[in-house]
Amino acid sequence: MTFTIKQIFLSLLFLYGYQAYPATIEVSKSGQNSIQKAIDQANPHDTIVVLAGTYREHDILIEKPLNIRGVGRPVIDAGHAGQIIVVGSDSVAISGFQIQNVGFSFTKDWAAILIDNKNYCRIEDNILVDAYYGIYLKKSNHIVIRGNRLEGKAENEINSGNGIHLWYCDSILIENNHIKGHRDGIYFEFVENSTIVRNTSEANVRYGLHFMFSNNDDYIGNTFKNNGTGVAVMFSEHINMINNHFIDNWGTTNYGLLFKEISDGELSGNLFKNNTVGIFADGTNRMKISKNEFVENGWAMNVFSNCMNNEIVDNNFISNTFDLITNSAKHHNHYHHNYWDQYSGYDLDKDGIGDVPHRPVKLFSYLIGKVPESIILLRSFFIDIINMAEKVAPVLTPESLMDEQPRMKIITDD
Amino acid sequence: MLKILKYSFFDLIRSRWSIIYFLFYFVSGMVLLYLSNDVSKAIVSLMNITFILTPLIGTIFGVMNFYNSREFVELLLAQPIPRKRIFLGMYLGIGLSLSLSLFLGMALPFVFYGIFGSSAIGSLATLLLTGIFLTFIFTGISFYIALVNENRLKGFGMAILVWLFLSFVYDGLFLLLLLLLQEYPIENLAIGMSLLNPIDLSRILIMLRLDVSALMGYTGAVFHRFFGNGTGMLISLLALSVWTIVPVWFILKKSHKKDF
Amino acid sequence: MIEIHGIEKRFGRLEVLKGFDLSVEPGKITAILGPNGSGKTTLIKSILGLVIPNGGKITYDGQPIANNWQYRRHLGYLPQIARFPENLTVKELIALIEEVRGEKGQSASLIQRFDLQGFQQKKLRQLSGGTRQKVNLVLTFMFDCPIYILDEPTSGLDPIALIRLKDLITEQKLQGKTFLLTTHIMSLVEEIADQLVFLLEGKVYFRGTHRQMLQAENESNLERAIAKILEKEHAENP
């Protein structure tokens, strides 16, 4: 018996259709009205379409690969009773929902969407309102979180959770989300090889973005605005920070960007504007800080003396109250080819580089470090004169800390 | 009073010193604006000039004008008007003419450059307002010093010393005090001390506009809370007004008893 | 008229006026003479209210002048030094004084009398000392006052202006005006003064006509009489 090609083809087609041509299950207020039941009935790889309406459910468990899609922005309201969606399978996609009112617990990190130890999921185009934790990933890899809006109601650090929370994850993409009103907007702990692009994280009580023990991650083109601190990078290596905006992070211990015990990353093309402190660096080594723009900050950079071998090059320092402050007369970093608008030197050979070095640390910023109240004398004529004297003959400020090739003109992109 | 003021004002505004004073601000403003191409930076630079120069010029003009018009004052005193009108008129005449030079000299470059609609207009307005306050305050102080001292050299020296003290020495002592008392909570002391010097007070009012980011840090936030809210602003303006009125009160009191 | 009773004035430890009485005779020209520091200017300034006496009383028409400014409406004062706001014009200065006094002055005839027609639009800093003194005279005489007080009226005047000033004083006197003047020019005193008041060491040393003074000192002219008084004084208090 011989099979023609046609026969084989037809029988394959038949088999395929028979096996599991993905079905679509509809959930609506008028028909099947429980999302959990629909999930339970569905076969793997089915699509569940949820129509508009409010579904009062919580602890929805998904244990097979499904595509769950909201049409007309259905609302899942947990009424603060607990967590809302728990993803217990690989390859789950959740999109188009408004998920709200996660319960609060001191002992459990309840989230709007939890993915526990699973891979290849997509969370897209959802609105999360009043979630304790928003999207929570544990030991999960290859996840995409894209185009979601998170609106938390955090008031203080103790009673609030993070917007997008990752713990032991790898290869995650976080793109185009808008996170507001959580403790940390985005939180990374032991997260590797992940990318955060074009998100906006604002008005979070602690950090807009927070790295802990995470290596080899990138964040690009994000905006961090009006958070306690814009971004905190702690105990991490090889983090690349490109083209982000750090704006309006005001307050006593608030910074645009906080570095603590980090190394070997790149910080370039970022804008720091209107922050109390642009960058606060503690135990930071071998970073390349280049082509950033520091505008109208109280202090553009506060670099502790335990920071070593960082290269600060080609940055613009414009209209900051203070450009640089440090806590010791020693320093081990390399500053060159920056533009400092407070530079008062000259360029006789017209090569665009000032002929005398610039000392960006003022005596007065040292004094403020010792006696913070003395800030009330800022811009006083007396202070101008002692600054000038210190500049000529440094006693208290680091003598060797200078930009030997200060630029005469603002650096533009091209 | 208004008559004296009118003529004193006309006399001074036509003097070449008024014109030089005007031109100084005008040219400085123009140069700073077109060199930096940045309104905020130009205001910062102008502020440094203003807080030194305005009190100095007020001081010099107050003393010089009084001594130079000594004989004319005698003629006026022999006329049927009360003394206080003469001195008030002269004082206001100097204050107003200097303020006009300052105001036009500083504002015109920004008008030409295009300040309206810029966020820096508040800073410029604050700078102009404090500049005018300082003009009147230092004119008043030096006018009083001239009134008390018959000896021109002594009067002139004393007025310059007052200027030097308030614009320079005071801040040095201020800083020294802060350093000595750093173990104690000294925010209120610092606020109190800055209320006692009109130049410091003016500086802080500008700082609240230009250095908000820095003021929000550390203890600066305390100052921002005090000076930045409505009450603090009101207290600052009130303190500046007291600084303006007190010398005038002394002038009137002294002029009532003085022999010419 | 002006009555002075027991007037005293001290500047620090220096006693300038030591308590004397004096009444200014209406319709007469009284010259106040005395060496430098004798208290002439202080006396005049006390009458004008520029100097406030430590003791005694000055009245005008029976009213004390202390803390009063209205009576100055009746006084025309010519200051010793003619210095005015430099950047005003002559015309503006005249207008200023008119506004201050609240009355229109008869400046036109005086401007003509002192040949100031061409200077009206000139700024005061452009004028010579003599011209400024003429302006000073205009400012004083343009108001119709019963009493004129002139402090060194001739300083800086050229001979023609001096003659015109004397004519002016004579004319005014004929209208019944009273004059009080200080001067170092004895010829002027001899020529126009009806009364002499000679101050010495803060007191009235002599009072009378100049003829009486010459008789008293047995001298032929005023300058010598005065020199003699001063020599006598010096011999008594070396």
Side-chain angles (χ1 to χ4, degrees), chain C residues 122-141:
Chain C
K122 284 253 159 55
K123 293 206 174 130
L124 284 148
R125 79 171 119 89
Q126 298 166 312
L127 304 186
S128 70
T131 314
R132 281 211 303 270
Q133 180 65 2
K134 290 181 196 168
V135 172
N136 204 5
L137 288 166
V138 172
L139 294 178
T140 309
F141 286 104

Side-chain angles (χ1 to χ4, degrees), chain A residues 62-66 87-92 115-116 118-119 121:
Chain A
I62 306 169
E63 291 190 297
K64 50 195 108 168
L66 288 174
V87 177
S89 158
D90 287 352
S91 307
V92 172
I115 303 177
D116 190 354
K118 294 293 174 284
N119 306 317
C121 296

Side-chain angles (χ1 to χ4, degrees), chain C residues 150-162:
Chain C
L150 314 179
D151 199 356
E152 297 289 347
T154 58
S155 64
L157 288 185
D158 58 71
I160 300 170
L162 186 56

Side-chain angles (χ1 to χ4, degrees), chain A residues 53 82 124 197 267 277 280 339 344 348 391 411:
Chain A
E124 292 174 301
V197 281
L267 176 74
V277 177
F280 183 93
Y339 170 78
S344 53
L348 292 182
K391 215 171 181 176
I411 304 155

Side-chain angles (χ1 to χ4, degrees), chain B residues 11 14 77 79 83 259-260, chain C residues 9 49 52 87 92 101:
Chain B
D11 175 38
R14 285 186 210 154
L77 283 167
Q79 305 304 323
R83 284 184 169 193
D259 298 316
F260 287 88
Chain C
K9 181 65 193 175
I52 297 155
N87 300 296
E92 283 169 335
R101 284 188 83 105

Side-chain angles (χ1 to χ4, degrees), chain B residues 182-193:
Chain B
Q182 55 177 298
E183 306 301 324
Y184 303 92
I186 43 180
E187 287 94 345
N188 289 332
L189 174 84
I191 290 173
M193 277 199 76

Side-chain angles (χ1 to χ4, degrees), chain A residues 216-266:
Chain A
N216 302 307
D217 299 308
D218 298 338
Y219 63 98
I220 301 164
N222 302 284
T223 297
F224 304 99
K225 198 172 159 183
N226 189 26
N227 299 291
T229 282
V231 175
V233 185
M234 299 174 169
F235 310 101
S236 301
E237 291 170 9
H238 297 286
I239 306 288
N240 293 320
M241 312 161 224
I242 318 286
N243 297 346
N244 301 287
H245 287 190
F246 302 82
I247 300 172
D248 294 341
N249 298 295
W250 273 2
T252 322
T253 52
N254 296 358
Y255 318 103
L257 176 54
L258 167 63
F259 287 158
K260 184 160 179 60
E261 305 302 326
I262 72 157
S263 65
D264 302 293
E266 191 182 336

Side-chain angles (χ1 to χ4, degrees), chain B residues 3-4 6-8 10-12 14-16 67-83 85 152 255-260, chain C residues 9 11 45 48-52 67 69-70 72-73 75 77 79 81 83-89 92-93 95-97 99-101 123 125 136 139:
Chain B
K3 302 159 200 162
I4 309 274
K6 187 171 88 182
Y7 286 97
S8 160
F10 279 138
D11 175 38
L12 284 162
R14 285 186 210 154
S15 90
R16 73 198 124 149
Y67 287 135
N68 281 341
S69 38
R70 193 72 169 72
E71 293 82 8
F72 186 60
V73 168
E74 288 182 17
L75 175 61
L76 289 177
L77 283 167
Q79 305 304 323
I81 52 166
R83 284 184 169 193
R85 289 192 204 161
R152 288 174 181 226
S255 73
H256 192 67
K257 292 187 299 197
K258 188 176 159 68
D259 298 316
F260 287 88
Chain C
K9 181 65 193 175
F11 291 112
K45 285 185 170 176
L48 286 162
L50 267 65
V51 165
I52 297 155
N67 296 316
W69 50 270
Q70 301 284 356
R72 289 202 284 268
R73 193 168 300 288
L75 306 183
Y77 171 53
I81 302 168
R83 276 186 69 177
F84 309 107
E86 294 190 333
N87 300 296
L88 295 185
T89 63
E92 283 169 335
L93 180 64
L96 162 60
I97 300 297
E99 279 194 36
V100 166
R101 284 188 83 105
K123 293 206 174 130
R125 79 171 119 89
N136 204 5
L139 294 178

